[in-house]
Amino acid sequence: MHDTSTQPHGAARPDQSDYRYISLNSLGLDPEQLDFYQLLLACRARGEAEESLRQVVRFRTDGYGKARFISSLDALPAPLATFPLWRAEIEGWPGELAREELLARASGRLGQPVGAFLASAGWRAALPDIWQTLLVLGWRQAGSPADAALAAQLTDVLRVVHFLQVLEGNRAKLDAHGARRDVLGAHLLWPAEGMPLPR
């Protein structure tokens, strides 16, 4: 997969409040509400590596509980499918930009205030499926080119939302182009216990 998958096993875990990383916590996801993730945790607790893999394969076609695999950006509610392109656009905003200007630009692009988008039912419903789909796509380190492309697109969706969260919450000063680039290049921080068992 691409460079946003996981931290190396045994490496020091970054501070989850660091805006250069995207975590369950920073996204506002409750692990207890992630049906498929909880299934994988149960398999791991029982040492069932083969069952974990079977469930990963099954999830792609059947989903699990409330969770569904997102096979393309077209399955996402508007305007999420445009976010990978928007990420490049935001990165291209040059020079120093005050927070008020950034909020105005983002709200104009969204067609609503940033806070309203982040609280919207469509986004909140799509988020668990995006995260669990990326977990599945990251499960097999040597995925297909189509899987890698989908993972890159979905990661960019999360990166744009992460940028909006940091901007709306005023969690970091984003006036400078470099700071905006750092947030838009944030790495996904996977819970170590959610990853595959060694085989």
Side-chain angles (χ1 to χ4, degrees):
M1 208 168 102
H2 54 102
D3 67 349
T4 60
S5 55
T6 68
Q7 293 302 300
H9 291 294
R13 303 282 290 175
D15 180 352
Q16 293 193 33
S17 66
D18 187 331
Y19 62 80
R20 293 171 299 176
Y21 296 92
I22 303 171
S23 66
L24 277 170
N25 184 58
S26 71
L27 290 169
L29 280 170
D30 178 0
E32 297 296 324
Q33 301 300 314
L34 302 176
D35 293 353
F36 183 65
Y37 177 54
Q38 291 300 316
L39 173 66
L40 294 183
L41 290 181
C43 289
R44 184 179 179 92
R46 295 190 297 266
E48 297 173 347
E50 294 299 326
E51 177 63 12
S52 294
L53 181 57
R54 189 179 75 79
Q55 292 294 345
V56 164
V57 172
R58 181 180 176 187
F59 180 73
R60 296 185 67 131
T61 55
D62 301 333
Y64 181 81
K66 294 178 290 186
R68 295 290 175 264
F69 183 82
I70 297 171
S71 58
S72 74
L73 292 184
D74 293 339
L76 296 173
L80 296 178
T82 65
F83 278 16
L85 292 176
W86 194 27
R87 177 186 173 229
E89 180 184 321
I90 298 171
E91 281 195 321
W93 291 351
E96 294 282 324
L97 293 170
R99 180 170 180 265
E100 293 73 19
E101 173 66 14
L102 291 171
L103 282 169
R105 289 189 184 198
S107 296
R109 190 71 162 74
L110 291 167
Q112 60 184 315
V114 172
F117 164 76
L118 292 173
S120 66
W123 158 243
R124 299 310 303 175
L127 174 55
D129 288 342
I130 293 172
W131 193 87
Q132 289 172 110
T133 295
L134 280 166
L135 183 65
V136 166
L137 292 170
W139 192 271
R140 300 167 77 178
Q141 295 302 311
S144 69
D147 281 357
L150 177 60
Q153 291 172 330
L154 291 176
T155 298
D156 279 348
V157 171
L158 291 188
R159 283 170 163 163
V160 169
V161 172
H162 176 63
F163 173 83
L164 296 174
Q165 289 174 324
V166 172
L167 176 62
E168 172 68 11
N170 204 16
R171 291 169 40 200
K173 191 173 176 60
L174 298 177
D175 298 36
H177 180 260
R180 297 193 293 274
R181 188 177 59 242
D182 284 347
V183 172
L184 289 163
H187 293 269
L188 295 181
L189 189 60
W190 296 116
E193 65 273 14
M195 299 313 290
L197 287 162
R199 299 180 63 187

